[in-house]
């Protein structure tokens, strides 16, 4: 098993497009407070390193998904609209 930052290891940064919203996790910023998990446990979970990963963000309604991302105290969750407009943070 190899891990190498230069290969763009998706454990550090990952992105999903859900219903026209582009949600990005910056795992280097996440400090594992879990606010987003509390708000939308269907969408986010903390992994073994206490850093957030996606579960099934498409199963959460748009408003709650936005609320969950906006709840992050360190802005580790970014949401953009389909035209690239940043909605969160
Ligand atoms: S709210 Fe932010 S810091 Fe807390 S678990 Fe979610 S992404 Fe990480």
């Amino acid at each position: 098993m190899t891990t190498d930052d230069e290969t763009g290891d998706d454990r550090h940064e990952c992105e999903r497009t859900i219903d026209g919203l582009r949600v990005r996790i910056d795992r280097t910023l996440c400090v594992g407070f879990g606010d987003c998990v509390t708000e939308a446990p269907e969408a986010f979970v903390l992994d073994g390193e206490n850093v957030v990963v996606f579960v099934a963000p498409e199963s959460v309604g748009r408003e709650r998904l936005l609320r969950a991302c906006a709840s992050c105290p360190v802005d580790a969750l970014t949401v953009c609209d389909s035209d690239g407009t940043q909605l969160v943070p």
Side-chain angles (χ1 to χ4, degrees), residues 7-21:
T7 62
D9 186 343
D10 67 3
R11 292 178 59 79
H12 292 287
E13 194 173 299
C14 37
E15 195 174 287
R16 291 274 183 90
T17 302
I18 306 114
D19 206 11
L21 294 178

Side-chain angles (χ1 to χ4, degrees), residues 24-27 29-38 44-46 50-53 68-77:
R24 212 186 83 181
I25 294 174
D26 187 333
R27 288 177 49 90
L29 290 179
C30 175
V31 288
F33 289 154
D35 299 42
C36 60
V37 180
T38 302
F44 303 108
V45 71
L46 293 173
N50 207 36
V51 177
V52 79
V53 290
C69 294
S71 75
C72 179
V74 294
D75 295 346
L77 301 171

Side-chain angles (χ1 to χ4, degrees), residues 1 17-18 25 33-34 50 55 58 60 63 66 68 73-74 83-84:
M1 189 163 83
T17 302
I18 306 114
I25 294 174
F33 289 154
N50 207 36
V55 185
E58 64 282 354
V60 179
E63 289 310 314
L66 285 169
V74 294
D83 63 6

